[in-house]
Amino acid sequence: MARTPEIEKAVEVLRTGGLVALPTETVYGLGANAEDPVAVARIFRVKGRPPSHPLIVHIDGAEHLDDWVQEVPATARLLAEHFWPGPLTLVLRRGRRVPLEATGGLETVAVRVPDHPVALALLSAFGGGVTAPSANRFGSVSPTTANHVRAELGDAVDFVLDGGPCEVGVESTIVDATGDIPSILRPGGVTREDLEAVLKCPITVPSTSQVRVPGQHPSHYASRARVVLVEPEKVVADAELAQELGHQVGVFLPPSLTDAPVKVHAVVALPASTAAYARGLYGFLRELDQRGCDLIVASLPTEEGLGLAIANRLRRAAGPRPTV
């Protein structure tokens, strides 16, 4: 992609310590110069993000990975070759170029190469790394359009690069590649099945990890409306009961129930494709917020392929809250 005036403006903002919202294939990120501790600290203030919550460093190619980490194990190199650019983040030992402000004080750093022409053009023109968590207030629904960023962060962002709607729609898969046996610390746009096919071995998804990474907060990706998770066959009945009890209910209606009449405030008919569901998930949550719902009733998809990432996001959106 050619260097446009918008790219040049974004580079200028980054080089002078500012914040740029940039599109990726997953979600829009709130970017700062990864080597500028003051700019990185501003990300935390704007988002209201705890300083112990690490950020992801975005680079423009796998050939630059060695510039940002101490060493690259063979497993990490293999994953980078297969999935970069793409929605995969590798956790490795921090190199000297990465300030502790970007890692939440950890000696590990999360790195990825985004698969979006605008993001790659920006990174190439900037010539360095960009720390970029999702461009929203901490814990709330991630943005998948430039308008989502503007609506939530407004003038707190110095410049917004509009790259259109995000194609994947959920964050990257984070893999701990510091040891001999990798594990998934956050499910995302690269599926466990895809990773296992490349590595020729099973990949675990531990429920807890000593390595802190983005998206591990008990309540995360949350809409203003409270999200309640129920069994698929109970979605309609539980949603209607909550409506009768006085809630303004929004419901995520599974594909198997799209013809079922539902007497609630708002209905989102979910697509049959898990890729389409992942792409639309955050937009669906925002839509029900905008329609005035105070309760969202949903069920978890089958945890295969991208269904694992969707289920992870819904569980975090529901958080440690009481049921109906």
Side-chain angles (χ1 to χ4, degrees):
M1 180 177 177
R3 291 175 64 157
T4 64
E6 290 77 15
I7 294 293
E8 297 291 349
K9 172 65 176 176
V11 169
E12 178 187 357
V13 170
L14 290 173
R15 288 179 176 165
T16 54
L19 300 184
V20 172
L22 64 149
T24 76
E25 77 281 25
T26 58
V27 300
Y28 273 72
L30 182 61
N33 179 355
E35 297 179 81
D36 183 342
V38 175
V40 171
R42 189 178 162 206
I43 288 178
F44 288 91
R45 293 196 301 273
V46 167
K47 284 178 63 69
R49 183 185 181 100
S52 60
H53 212 62
L55 307 178
I56 295 174
V57 176
H58 294 67
I59 60 177
D60 71 339
E63 65 273 18
H64 301 302
L65 179 58
D66 296 86
D67 298 336
W68 299 92
V69 303
Q70 289 184 25
E71 60 178 343
V72 184
T75 296
R77 190 83 66 187
L78 178 63
L79 291 175
E81 290 172 355
H82 275 81
F83 295 108
W84 282 359
L88 176 71
T89 294
L90 297 176
V91 174
L92 295 162
R93 302 296 177 189
R94 177 180 70 96
R96 293 183 179 180
R97 292 182 69 175
V98 185
L100 287 171
E101 285 82 356
T103 68
L106 300 176
E107 289 300 329
T108 55
V109 61
V111 185
R112 89 174 185 101
V113 179
D115 189 14
H116 193 292
V118 175
L120 290 173
L122 172 62
L123 290 164
S124 176
F126 178 58
V130 172
T131 51
S134 56
N136 55 280
R137 303 293 178 187
F138 180 71
S140 66
V141 180
S142 302
T144 52
T145 70
N147 284 338
H148 291 165
V149 179
R150 296 185 183 104
E152 184 153 355
L153 297 182
D155 294 339
V157 183
D158 299 305
F159 189 69
V160 178
L161 268 176
D162 191 340
C166 299
E167 286 296 316
V168 176
V170 292
E171 289 82 355
S172 61
T173 301
I174 300 180
V175 170
D176 181 0
T178 57
D180 295 331
I181 303 175
S183 62
I184 296 174
L185 302 181
R186 180 184 71 183
V190 171
T191 69
R192 175 170 54 186
E193 292 86 349
D194 287 340
L195 292 169
E196 290 175 341
V198 169
L199 296 178
K200 311 297 183 186
C201 67
I203 305 296
T204 62
V205 188
S207 57
T208 60
S209 171
Q210 293 184 346
V211 180
R212 295 196 307 274
V213 295
Q216 284 184 321
H217 195 268
S219 179
H220 216 88
Y221 318 110
S223 54
R224 292 192 300 273
R226 183 161 61 96
V227 175
V228 174
L229 301 176
V230 302
E231 295 299 321
E233 64 273 13
K234 295 182 179 180
V235 166
V236 172
D238 284 13
E240 291 183 337
L241 175 59
Q243 185 77 29
E244 292 173 4
L245 292 174
H247 289 286
Q248 291 290 87
V249 177
V251 61
F252 278 10
L253 202 61
S256 60
L257 299 175
T258 51
D259 294 330
V262 190
K263 298 177 182 178
V264 296
H265 181 69
V267 175
V268 169
L270 297 175
S273 161
T274 53
Y277 189 179
R279 187 163 51 247
L281 174 61
Y282 295 143
F284 299 152
L285 290 169
R286 288 177 180 274
E287 175 189 342
L288 293 181
D289 270 345
Q290 292 166 359
R291 294 176 68 177
C293 297
D294 62 62
L295 185 71
I296 298 172
V297 178
S299 61
L300 296 177
T302 302
E303 296 187 19
E304 297 175 353
L306 284 172
L308 179 63
I310 297 168
N312 171 269
R313 301 311 188 272
L314 287 173
R315 286 195 181 96
R316 299 287 180 176
R321 309 178 189 183
T323 57
V324 175

